[in-house]
Amino acid sequence: MKIQVVGSFFLIACLLTGCADSEKLESAPPNALFCKNITENVQTIQHLHLPATPENPVSTASTAFPCGMWFTAMDYAEILTGKSEAEFRAAIQERFQQVQALGIQTVFLQVRAFADAYYTSTYYMSGLSMSADCSFDPLQIMLTEAHQLGLSVHAWVNPLRCQTDAQMEQMPEQYPISQWYADETKRGTWLVKSGDRWWLNPAYPEVRQLIADGVSELVTQYEIDGVQIDDYFYPTTDASFDAAAFAESGATDRSAWRKEQCNLMVQAMYNAVKQANPKVLFGISPQGTLSGNEKQSADVQTWGQTAGYCDYLLPQLYFGFQNSTAPFAETAAFWAEQVTCPDVTLWIGICTYKIGQQDTWAGDGMTEWQTDSQVVSKELELLCNMDGIDGAAIYDYASTFQPESSVSEILSSERDAIQVLLQTPAN
């Protein structure tokens, strides 16, 4: 039986105007926020998974609730830097076996985090955690190992975030971003510094074309099942970021204009994916509240209510039940009300990295993750029975399977509970 959770008018107002975690956006360094088969374009939840075959024994019908897991580029250094192909293959195979045993069916593999590619690319330099003499293709190995276990693979990219000055200066000259960095007319316009990093500016058609070409390259070269972008859109609300482009546009409403630039970028990526392979999904994993997305000019309501932007939305609801601004149950129900396009499905992102930690921006729920050892499994159980929710995803592999020793027992118990939820046959 499905559960419909309805929030109060006051809560909806909070979701529209305030976001606990997203308030970190402009003050926190980038890494603090770094802590994310469709046929004839008809979307169903089954399309997020591979069909069951003798070579691919996982059947989507065998589990009660679809669930994915994120693998971040931050974790690659441990298993990739200085490793041989055999060592990398063995390490990633072990990780995929762990998530498959948990009941996970889809893995979101970060293949571009800072304008660097963990795959063979014409447009982007090799991944920062890849050794200079690396002779193998990490994504191809991950694809092979995941598909052999029946796991669906979505390539997770960050379209706009680039590198620091020191890193940009070392980027090989053949890549467009390196050329733009060296060009005084494009450095500061097409490529803009915010904080200690450079960012691509989506207001320029040439920039959007590079981003679209990048995802087209992925879909064309690799048998991936989806492409996902995460919650890094405009990095700041500061008007200086795109002052020149805004002035040239003739627009008067910067907020609306920025949303339109993001919409054009998202549409370009969606179209590039579908033109390369219409069976490949395109998904977006935005901030958990409208307030957070407004700060980044991410037009999530349009994306969830209009065809042609994405196949699925996967907002990051890294909140506890007692979060004062965005309590989990009501926030999930709020999202279910926003995604109304029949071509778009809604998954909800939950996290394990907060277990045992003080949730600084949670208000009355600041200590919830310390006093309640079952927040994650309770959230997953709620999602399993909530109307309008088509699946979930867990952030991330490292915090779930390699936790700090202080919370290892809690994580072990939570993994057992998650496994039961994900492997109980659907009614």
Side-chain angles (χ1 to χ4, degrees):
M1 179 178 180
K2 294 282 186 176
I3 298 172
Q4 180 66 47
V5 179
V6 180
S8 66
F9 176 81
F10 174 77
L11 174 64
I12 296 300
C14 287
L15 294 175
L16 285 165
T17 60
C19 171
D21 280 0
S22 67
E23 291 174 359
K24 298 178 288 183
L25 176 63
E26 297 198 42
S27 60
N31 283 344
L33 292 174
F34 186 66
C35 318
K36 202 225 195 248
N37 296 339
I38 188 167
T39 303
E40 298 178 349
N41 294 336
V42 177
Q43 171 70 14
T44 68
I45 194 61
Q46 285 77 17
H47 288 133
L48 280 169
H49 314 293
L50 297 172
T53 67
E55 295 77 24
N56 171 30
V58 175
S59 170
T60 60
S62 66
T63 57
F65 192 65
C67 191
M69 180 167 281
W70 281 286
F71 284 70
T72 79
M74 291 186 293
D75 300 326
Y76 294 158
E78 176 187 352
I79 62 174
L80 181 58
T81 306
K83 305 297 183 183
S84 67
E85 178 177 347
E87 289 172 325
F88 177 71
R89 186 182 298 275
I92 202 65
Q93 182 183 67
E94 179 183 6
R95 284 158 172 72
F96 288 163
Q97 288 172 341
Q98 288 175 308
V99 301
Q100 186 213 34
L102 190 66
I104 297 296
Q105 304 132 328
T106 302
V107 289
F108 305 108
L109 307 178
Q110 191 163 41
V111 298
R112 183 162 14 105
F114 302 102
D116 58 330
Y118 290 89
Y119 57 94
T120 302
S121 177
T122 301
Y123 305 105
Y124 299 95
M125 62 171 280
S126 297
L128 293 172
S129 291
M130 292 176 65
S131 302
D133 60 350
C134 183
S135 61
F136 56 89
D137 186 325
L139 176 56
Q140 187 56 61
I141 290 174
M142 291 191 286
L143 260 176
T144 300
E145 296 302 324
H147 281 172
Q148 285 180 350
L149 292 170
L151 295 169
S152 178
V153 174
H154 291 216
W156 163 23
V157 305
N158 186 293
L160 298 178
R161 185 179 57 189
C162 299
Q163 300 176 14
T164 65
D165 277 304
Q167 293 167 332
M168 295 288 282
E169 290 166 3
Q170 297 299 314
M171 186 179 293
E173 295 179 358
Q174 72 262 34
Y175 298 108
I177 291 176
S178 177
Q179 296 167 17
W180 296 351
Y181 181 74
D183 187 331
E184 292 184 358
T185 65
K186 296 180 176 62
R187 189 177 66 247
T189 52
W190 294 14
L191 194 64
V192 184
K193 192 172 185 181
S194 179
D196 64 349
R197 291 193 175 277
W198 289 84
W199 295 71
L200 292 172
N201 184 350
Y204 294 93
E206 296 86 350
V207 172
R208 298 195 296 269
Q209 187 61 54
L210 171 66
I211 293 167
D213 290 342
V215 295
S216 179
E217 176 182 62
L218 273 167
V219 177
T220 301
Q221 292 184 177
Y222 299 92
E223 294 183 359
I224 55 178
D225 306 291
V227 173
Q228 180 184 112
I229 59 174
D230 57 8
D231 63 326
Y232 288 88
F233 296 99
Y234 276 85
T236 179
T237 58
D238 192 329
S240 66
F241 181 86
D242 50 8
F246 181 64
E248 292 170 6
S249 72
T252 56
D253 185 333
R254 186 183 301 274
S255 176
W257 176 79
R258 280 189 174 182
K259 282 186 178 180
E260 180 58 22
Q261 307 318 301
C262 277
N263 285 346
L264 290 170
M265 179 188 73
V266 167
Q267 282 184 313
M269 298 177 78
Y270 175 88
N271 290 335
V273 168
K274 298 306 177 183
Q275 289 169 8
N277 186 346
K279 294 183 179 181
V280 172
L281 294 173
F282 178 67
I284 307 171
S285 180
Q287 290 267 321
T289 69
L290 291 184
S291 171
N293 287 296
E294 285 288 333
K295 289 181 179 180
Q296 296 183 319
S297 302
D299 193 3
V300 293
Q301 289 176 306
T302 293
W303 303 341
Q305 297 169 11
T306 312
Y309 289 95
C310 63
D311 296 306
Y312 68 92
L313 281 176
L314 207 174
Q316 301 169 29
L317 270 59
Y318 302 158
F319 314 122
F321 291 98
Q322 299 172 24
N323 187 294
S324 293
T325 304
F328 180 82
E330 290 85 347
T331 308
F334 179 78
W335 273 99
E337 295 172 354
Q338 307 310 305
V339 179
T340 59
C341 178
D343 294 336
V344 181
T345 56
L346 175 65
W347 281 35
I348 296 295
I350 58 179
C351 74
T352 53
Y353 73 90
K354 285 188 175 181
I355 291 177
Q357 303 297 314
Q358 185 180 85
D359 196 1
T360 306
W361 289 272
D364 293 340
M366 183 180 296
T367 63
E368 180 180 5
W369 294 84
Q370 296 172 313
T371 59
D372 188 345
S373 63
Q374 298 178 310
V375 174
V376 176
S377 58
K378 288 177 181 177
E379 290 182 342
L380 184 58
E381 184 174 16
L382 178 68
L383 295 175
C384 289
N385 296 289
M386 185 179 290
D387 282 336
I389 307 298
D390 301 300
I394 300 172
Y395 186 92
D396 63 344
Y397 169 82
S399 59
T400 303
F401 287 96
Q402 299 175 327
E404 297 290 334
S405 58
S406 60
V407 294
S408 61
E409 290 187 13
I410 295 175
L411 261 299
S412 178
S413 179
E414 280 289 78
R415 288 196 300 269
D416 289 343
I418 291 169
Q419 185 176 44
V420 169
L421 288 168
L422 297 183
Q423 297 192 352
T424 301
N427 294 327

